[in-house]
Amino acid sequence: MSHLLFSVSYLPFCFSVYTILSKVHSDRNVYPSAGVLFVHVLEREYFKGEFPPYPKPGEISNDPITFNTNLMGYPDRPGWLRYIQRTPYSDGVLYGSPTVENVGKPTIIEITAYNRRTFETARHNLIINIMSAEDFPLPYQAEFFIRNMNVEEMLASEVLGDFLGAVKNVWQPERLNAINITSALDRGGRVPLPINDMKEGVYVMVGADVPFSSCLREVENPQNQLRCSQEMEPVITCDKKFRTQFHIDWCKISLVDNTKQVSTFQEVIRGEGILPDGGEYKPPSDTLKSRDYYSDFLITLAVPSAIALVLFLILAYIMCCRREGVEKRNMQTPDIQLVHHSAIQKSTKELRDMSKNREIAWPLSTLPVFHPVTGEIVPPLHTDSYDNTSMPLMQTQQNLPHQTQIPQQQTAGEFRMTTFQRLEVNGIPEERKLTEAMNL
């Protein structure tokens, strides 16, 4: 585990980046300054010593290790402190910008390491003692958006030192500090596609003690503002000093001059809705008057129930007491109409029963046209010269069971035999019907 405190001091002819690296044991005290970027690296190599050695001798242990950080007694970290770890095989990083409100108050961060192979844990405490800065806050602050960097890449001391060096060449301040670093995802940015080595983007805020240079103010001129509104790159003369390593989106640069900010505090004007000094809330009295709810009961329950009962009685009278019935209908219907209706129903039933007992061959129209085995076309039953205009659709039915032949007298005194199929209709044999017909 290592602790990095970035504080860059610039003199007229030289500048230096102070990086403090130290191994941390059980508990570690660090002393960051308010308003200056604080970075603390959780090194996996250190925590490997807290876990058992690798089971196979001669092989290097490379267990996946993850970290969980929280404020002691709370489930999460302070609002100014962030944590990031890309994979279980990379180091974790705590970073943020301490606030003035926490100056002089020790902040204890619990760090729990999880070995994802053995499921063992190790816990250490990091005690952060925030100190007040002499020149805090720096009056001039600029925030840059770097498109080709992720936050963990920008937190590296070498990369951040190179960026501050480029800013120093453009700004020329006597004192320059890195104030804060924020991932673009924390500002509502979208996760980039995993193609062409695309990055999330990082917002880096720096502060200085001298006004902004003319190069930094070029983005404020109307021509560059117009190009930014059209989603075009503005023309910045000092962009070449960053372009070799950092791709800056100059349309998203933010310049803040704290020397010109006017205090927004306004005296509260008392009026309606604001209690005077010493005023207290007076709740209603405990002795409330009794209220009779009988009328409310009648309105909400009794009246709707009475209306529903009346409607139910009316519907019951219409459905039960005024029903005509079959007998009344027959009494009001003429006899001849009832006879016709009964005869139609009886004939329909007889036809249906006869159709159920019919045993005849299939009609010619349903015979197959192709041979079922060879698939060849079956020749017609009759030759083309045969007159089939009078051919019946039904084949001749011969020697069918339950048939009865009765003679019929012709005009010259001869008789002709007619065949009837023997059926039972309504339980009465068809022969009986034939006999009755001959006796007429």
Side-chain angles (χ1 to χ4, degrees):
M1 221 185 308
S2 61
H3 167 64
L4 295 85
L5 177 63
F6 291 98
S7 177
V8 182
S9 300
Y10 288 101
L11 299 176
F13 299 101
C14 65
F15 71 95
S16 59
V17 179
Y18 299 99
T19 304
I20 303 175
L21 300 176
S22 60
K23 289 291 183 181
V24 180
H25 300 285
S26 296
D27 292 341
R28 167 73 181 183
N29 284 274
V30 294
Y31 300 89
S33 299
V36 180
L37 179 64
F38 165 76
V39 179
H40 186 80
V41 181
L42 307 179
E43 296 179 352
R44 296 175 63 254
E45 294 297 331
Y46 168 78
F47 285 95
K48 285 182 181 179
E50 302 289 334
F51 303 116
Y54 204 68
K56 296 181 180 180
E59 295 187 7
I60 301 176
S61 175
N62 190 25
D63 295 340
I65 299 176
T66 58
F67 301 95
N68 182 43
T69 59
N70 63 280
L71 183 64
M72 180 175 286
Y74 295 89
D76 203 354
R77 299 173 298 276
W80 61 270
L81 189 62
R82 296 186 179 93
Y83 168 75
I84 186 171
Q85 183 186 17
R86 287 292 178 181
T87 65
Y89 298 95
S90 60
D91 296 335
V93 182
L94 286 169
Y95 66 99
S97 181
T99 58
V100 182
E101 291 78 8
N102 296 323
V103 172
K105 301 177 182 178
T107 303
I108 303 176
I109 303 298
E110 294 180 340
I111 302 173
T112 306
Y114 296 90
N115 189 323
R116 295 302 178 181
R117 180 181 64 85
T118 62
F119 299 99
E120 294 182 340
T121 62
R123 177 168 295 179
H124 298 274
N125 294 333
L126 177 66
I127 303 175
I128 304 176
N129 302 280
I130 302 175
M131 309 298 292
S132 61
E134 298 178 358
D135 53 354
F136 176 83
L138 293 173
Y140 302 96
Q141 299 176 2
E143 187 177 55
F144 300 85
F145 177 65
I146 305 174
R147 294 178 293 186
N148 64 327
M149 287 287 175
N150 289 333
V151 62
E152 71 276 7
E153 299 173 348
M154 197 66 198
L155 290 172
S157 58
E158 299 82 3
V159 178
L160 185 57
D162 294 341
F163 177 75
L164 294 177
V167 175
K168 177 258 178 183
N169 294 332
V170 173
W171 202 338
Q172 296 296 330
E174 294 183 1
R175 182 172 178 79
L176 181 68
N177 287 341
I179 298 177
N180 200 1
I181 293 180
T182 308
S183 174
L185 301 182
D186 297 333
R187 298 282 189 90
R190 301 180 62 181
V191 178
L193 297 175
I195 56 176
N196 299 330
D197 196 22
M198 298 181 65
K199 305 293 183 178
E200 298 172 356
V202 181
Y203 289 91
V204 181
M205 177 175 286
V206 297
D209 55 351
V210 298
F212 303 110
S213 63
S214 58
C215 175
L216 296 178
R217 290 193 176 277
E218 288 180 0
V219 71
E220 297 179 349
N221 61 54
Q223 292 80 9
N224 286 330
Q225 290 293 324
L226 179 61
R227 295 177 66 88
C228 288
S229 63
Q230 297 175 353
E231 298 184 356
M232 299 174 61
E233 288 287 342
V235 180
I236 306 297
T237 57
C238 57
D239 181 61
K240 58 184 179 181
K241 297 183 180 180
F242 297 89
R243 182 64 62 177
T244 56
Q245 189 176 0
F246 306 99
H247 297 170
I248 297 179
D249 189 346
W250 292 99
C251 292
K252 294 185 178 180
I253 189 173
S254 176
L255 304 177
V256 179
D257 186 357
N258 293 325
T259 61
K260 297 181 180 180
Q261 289 186 354
V262 181
S263 176
T264 58
F265 175 77
Q266 295 181 358
E267 184 181 357
V268 179
I269 301 175
R270 300 185 183 276
E272 275 190 51
I274 301 179
L275 296 176
D277 293 337
E280 297 179 357
Y281 172 71
K282 295 181 180 180
S285 176
D286 295 336
T287 58
L288 298 177
K289 296 181 179 180
S290 59
R291 181 178 176 183
D292 186 11
Y293 292 95
Y294 182 74
S295 58
D296 296 339
F297 169 76
L298 293 179
I299 296 175
T300 56
L301 295 178
V303 174
S305 301
I307 295 175
L309 179 61
V310 172
L311 295 177
F312 175 76
L313 294 176
I314 295 175
L315 182 62
Y317 173 75
I318 295 174
M319 297 295 296
C320 301
C321 301
R322 296 185 59 82
R323 188 173 181 180
E324 295 181 352
V326 179
E327 297 180 359
K328 187 175 182 180
R329 181 200 64 186
N330 294 341
M331 291 177 61
Q332 296 179 356
T333 304
D335 294 340
I336 186 63
Q337 186 175 352
L338 293 176
V339 171
H340 289 171
H341 179 71
S342 177
I344 293 173
Q345 283 188 337
K346 184 176 180 180
S347 301
T348 302
K349 187 176 183 304
E350 290 180 359
L351 290 175
R352 288 178 178 175
D353 293 338
M354 292 174 63
S355 63
K356 292 179 182 178
N357 300 326
R358 185 164 37 184
E359 297 181 6
I360 58 176
W362 290 93
L364 295 178
S365 59
T366 61
L367 293 178
V369 181
F370 299 94
H371 195 276
V373 178
T374 62
E376 299 178 355
I377 300 176
V378 179
L381 298 177
H382 306 285
T383 61
D384 296 338
S385 61
Y386 182 78
D387 185 10
N388 54 5
T389 56
S390 60
M391 181 179 176
L393 291 177
M394 305 294 293
Q395 290 182 345
T396 306
Q397 302 176 7
Q398 297 179 358
N399 300 325
L400 295 177
H402 310 291
Q403 289 184 353
T404 304
Q405 294 184 354
I406 60 174
Q408 291 185 1
Q409 186 176 3
Q410 301 295 325
T411 55
E414 298 180 357
F415 289 88
R416 177 174 60 85
M417 302 302 295
T418 303
T419 302
F420 291 88
Q421 187 177 3
R422 181 186 176 189
L423 297 174
E424 292 184 0
V425 181
N426 296 333
I428 303 175
E430 188 65 22
E431 295 176 350
R432 177 182 174 184
K433 289 184 173 292
L434 295 176
T435 305
E436 294 175 357
M438 294 177 61
N439 294 332
L440 293 178

Short mmCIF file of all heavy atoms in Angstrom, two decimals, residues 166-193:
data_model
loop_
_atom_site.label_atom_id
_atom_site.label_comp_id
_atom_site.label_asym_id
_atom_site.label_seq_id
_atom_site.Cartn_x
_atom_site.Cartn_y
_atom_site.Cartn_z
N ALA A 166 2.73 20.31 -18.46
CA ALA A 166 2.20 20.95 -19.66
C ALA A 166 1.37 22.17 -19.30
O ALA A 166 1.42 23.22 -19.99
CB ALA A 166 1.38 19.95 -20.46
N VAL A 167 0.57 22.08 -18.23
CA VAL A 167 -0.22 23.24 -17.80
C VAL A 167 0.69 24.36 -17.35
O VAL A 167 0.43 25.55 -17.61
CB VAL A 167 -1.19 22.82 -16.68
CG1 VAL A 167 -1.94 24.04 -16.14
CG2 VAL A 167 -2.19 21.79 -17.18
N LYS A 168 1.81 24.04 -16.69
CA LYS A 168 2.75 25.07 -16.24
C LYS A 168 3.35 25.83 -17.42
O LYS A 168 3.51 27.06 -17.37
CB LYS A 168 3.84 24.40 -15.40
CG LYS A 168 4.92 25.36 -14.92
CD LYS A 168 6.17 25.22 -15.78
CE LYS A 168 7.23 26.21 -15.32
NZ LYS A 168 8.43 26.16 -16.18
N ASN A 169 3.64 25.10 -18.50
CA ASN A 169 4.20 25.78 -19.67
C ASN A 169 3.20 26.73 -20.31
O ASN A 169 3.60 27.74 -20.91
CB ASN A 169 4.65 24.74 -20.69
CG ASN A 169 5.82 23.91 -20.19
OD1 ASN A 169 6.62 24.38 -19.38
ND2 ASN A 169 5.91 22.67 -20.66
N VAL A 170 1.91 26.45 -20.19
CA VAL A 170 0.90 27.31 -20.79
C VAL A 170 0.50 28.44 -19.86
O VAL A 170 0.29 29.58 -20.28
CB VAL A 170 -0.33 26.45 -21.17
CG1 VAL A 170 -1.47 27.33 -21.66
CG2 VAL A 170 0.04 25.42 -22.23
N TRP A 171 0.41 28.15 -18.56
CA TRP A 171 -0.13 29.11 -17.59
C TRP A 171 0.96 29.98 -16.97
O TRP A 171 0.73 31.14 -16.66
CB TRP A 171 -0.88 28.33 -16.50
CG TRP A 171 -1.90 29.12 -15.76
CD1 TRP A 171 -1.96 30.47 -15.62
CD2 TRP A 171 -3.02 28.59 -15.04
NE1 TRP A 171 -3.04 30.83 -14.86
CE2 TRP A 171 -3.72 29.70 -14.51
CE3 TRP A 171 -3.50 27.31 -14.82
CZ2 TRP A 171 -4.87 29.53 -13.73
CZ3 TRP A 171 -4.63 27.16 -14.06
CH2 TRP A 171 -5.32 28.25 -13.52
N GLN A 172 2.12 29.40 -16.71
CA GLN A 172 3.25 30.08 -16.07
C GLN A 172 2.89 30.62 -14.67
O GLN A 172 3.05 31.80 -14.39
CB GLN A 172 3.73 31.25 -16.96
CG GLN A 172 4.29 30.84 -18.31
CD GLN A 172 5.56 30.00 -18.21
OE1 GLN A 172 6.32 30.16 -17.25
NE2 GLN A 172 5.76 29.12 -19.17
N PRO A 173 2.41 29.76 -13.77
CA PRO A 173 2.10 30.23 -12.42
C PRO A 173 3.31 30.04 -11.50
O PRO A 173 4.29 29.35 -11.83
CB PRO A 173 0.96 29.32 -12.00
CG PRO A 173 1.28 28.03 -12.68
CD PRO A 173 1.98 28.35 -13.97
N GLU A 174 3.24 30.66 -10.33
CA GLU A 174 4.25 30.43 -9.31
C GLU A 174 3.92 29.21 -8.45
O GLU A 174 4.81 28.55 -7.95
CB GLU A 174 4.39 31.67 -8.42
CG GLU A 174 4.93 32.89 -9.16
CD GLU A 174 5.12 34.06 -8.23
OE1 GLU A 174 4.83 33.90 -7.01
OE2 GLU A 174 5.54 35.12 -8.70
N ARG A 175 2.65 28.95 -8.28
CA ARG A 175 2.22 27.77 -7.52
C ARG A 175 1.05 27.13 -8.25
O ARG A 175 0.09 27.81 -8.65
CB ARG A 175 1.81 28.15 -6.09
CG ARG A 175 1.41 26.96 -5.24
CD ARG A 175 1.19 27.33 -3.79
NE ARG A 175 0.75 26.19 -2.99
CZ ARG A 175 1.54 25.24 -2.51
NH1 ARG A 175 2.85 25.30 -2.77
NH2 ARG A 175 1.07 24.25 -1.79
N LEU A 176 1.12 25.80 -8.43
CA LEU A 176 0.09 25.05 -9.16
C LEU A 176 -0.20 23.77 -8.41
O LEU A 176 0.72 23.01 -8.07
CB LEU A 176 0.57 24.75 -10.58
CG LEU A 176 -0.41 23.99 -11.49
CD1 LEU A 176 -1.60 24.86 -11.82
CD2 LEU A 176 0.29 23.54 -12.76
N ASN A 177 -1.45 23.51 -8.14
CA ASN A 177 -1.87 22.31 -7.42
C ASN A 177 -2.95 21.57 -8.21
O ASN A 177 -3.80 22.20 -8.87
CB ASN A 177 -2.44 22.64 -6.04
CG ASN A 177 -1.37 23.05 -5.06
OD1 ASN A 177 -0.19 22.76 -5.26
ND2 ASN A 177 -1.76 23.74 -4.00
N ALA A 178 -2.88 20.25 -8.14
CA ALA A 178 -3.99 19.44 -8.65
C ALA A 178 -5.06 19.38 -7.57
O ALA A 178 -4.81 18.89 -6.47
CB ALA A 178 -3.50 18.04 -9.01
N ILE A 179 -6.23 19.88 -7.87
CA ILE A 179 -7.29 19.98 -6.87
C ILE A 179 -8.15 18.73 -6.83
O ILE A 179 -8.42 18.17 -5.77
CB ILE A 179 -8.15 21.23 -7.13
CG1 ILE A 179 -7.28 22.49 -7.01
CG2 ILE A 179 -9.32 21.29 -6.17
CD1 ILE A 179 -8.02 23.76 -7.33
N ASN A 180 -8.57 18.25 -7.98
CA ASN A 180 -9.47 17.10 -7.99
C ASN A 180 -9.42 16.43 -9.35
O ASN A 180 -9.09 17.06 -10.36
CB ASN A 180 -10.91 17.53 -7.68
CG ASN A 180 -11.76 16.37 -7.20
OD1 ASN A 180 -11.28 15.24 -7.09
ND2 ASN A 180 -13.02 16.62 -6.92
N ILE A 181 -9.76 15.15 -9.35
CA ILE A 181 -9.87 14.35 -10.58
C ILE A 181 -11.19 13.60 -10.50
O ILE A 181 -11.50 12.95 -9.49
CB ILE A 181 -8.69 13.36 -10.73
CG1 ILE A 181 -7.39 14.12 -10.97
CG2 ILE A 181 -8.95 12.39 -11.87
CD1 ILE A 181 -6.18 13.22 -11.14
N THR A 182 -11.96 13.67 -11.58
CA THR A 182 -13.29 13.03 -11.62
C THR A 182 -13.44 12.28 -12.93
O THR A 182 -13.10 12.81 -14.00
CB THR A 182 -14.41 14.07 -11.49
OG1 THR A 182 -14.18 14.88 -10.34
CG2 THR A 182 -15.76 13.40 -11.37
N SER A 183 -13.94 11.07 -12.86
CA SER A 183 -14.22 10.30 -14.07
C SER A 183 -15.42 10.88 -14.80
O SER A 183 -16.36 11.42 -14.18
CB SER A 183 -14.49 8.84 -13.72
OG SER A 183 -14.91 8.11 -14.86
N ALA A 184 -15.40 10.79 -16.11
CA ALA A 184 -16.53 11.29 -16.90
C ALA A 184 -17.80 10.52 -16.61
O ALA A 184 -18.91 11.04 -16.76
CB ALA A 184 -16.20 11.23 -18.39
N LEU A 185 -17.68 9.27 -16.14
CA LEU A 185 -18.87 8.49 -15.81
C LEU A 185 -19.59 9.07 -14.60
O LEU A 185 -20.82 8.97 -14.49
CB LEU A 185 -18.49 7.03 -15.53
CG LEU A 185 -17.81 6.28 -16.68
CD1 LEU A 185 -17.53 4.85 -16.29
CD2 LEU A 185 -18.66 6.33 -17.94
N ASP A 186 -18.83 9.71 -13.69
CA ASP A 186 -19.46 10.35 -12.53
C ASP A 186 -20.14 11.66 -12.90
O ASP A 186 -20.89 12.21 -12.08
CB ASP A 186 -18.41 10.61 -11.45
CG ASP A 186 -17.81 9.33 -10.92
OD1 ASP A 186 -18.50 8.29 -10.97
OD2 ASP A 186 -16.64 9.36 -10.46
N ARG A 187 -19.91 12.15 -14.11
CA ARG A 187 -20.57 13.37 -14.58
C ARG A 187 -21.68 13.08 -15.58
O ARG A 187 -22.14 13.97 -16.28
CB ARG A 187 -19.53 14.28 -15.25
CG ARG A 187 -18.41 14.76 -14.32
CD ARG A 187 -18.88 15.88 -13.44
NE ARG A 187 -17.78 16.48 -12.70
CZ ARG A 187 -17.05 17.50 -13.13
NH1 ARG A 187 -17.30 18.05 -14.30
NH2 ARG A 187 -16.06 17.98 -12.40
N GLY A 188 -22.10 11.84 -15.63
CA GLY A 188 -23.18 11.48 -16.56
C GLY A 188 -22.71 11.00 -17.90
O GLY A 188 -23.53 10.85 -18.82
N GLY A 189 -21.41 10.73 -18.06
CA GLY A 189 -20.91 10.23 -19.33
C GLY A 189 -21.31 8.79 -19.58
O GLY A 189 -21.72 8.06 -18.66
N ARG A 190 -21.16 8.36 -20.81
CA ARG A 190 -21.53 7.01 -21.22
C ARG A 190 -20.29 6.12 -21.24
O ARG A 190 -19.18 6.56 -21.52
CB ARG A 190 -22.19 7.01 -22.60
CG ARG A 190 -23.44 7.86 -22.67
CD ARG A 190 -24.05 7.82 -24.06
NE ARG A 190 -24.46 6.48 -24.43
CZ ARG A 190 -25.01 6.18 -25.61
NH1 ARG A 190 -25.19 7.11 -26.51
NH2 ARG A 190 -25.35 4.94 -25.88
N VAL A 191 -20.51 4.84 -20.95
CA VAL A 191 -19.41 3.87 -21.00
C VAL A 191 -18.99 3.69 -22.46
O VAL A 191 -19.84 3.41 -23.32
CB VAL A 191 -19.84 2.52 -20.39
CG1 VAL A 191 -18.73 1.50 -20.49
CG2 VAL A 191 -20.27 2.72 -18.95
N PRO A 192 -17.73 3.85 -22.79
CA PRO A 192 -17.31 3.76 -24.20
C PRO A 192 -17.37 2.32 -24.69
O PRO A 192 -17.32 1.35 -23.92
CB PRO A 192 -15.87 4.29 -24.17
CG PRO A 192 -15.39 3.99 -22.79
CD PRO A 192 -16.60 4.15 -21.89
N LEU A 193 -17.47 2.18 -26.00
CA LEU A 193 -17.45 0.86 -26.62
C LEU A 193 -16.04 0.28 -26.53
O LEU A 193 -15.06 1.01 -26.62
CB LEU A 193 -17.89 0.95 -28.08
CG LEU A 193 -19.33 1.42 -28.32
CD1 LEU A 193 -19.58 1.57 -29.81
CD2 LEU A 193 -20.32 0.43 -27.74
#
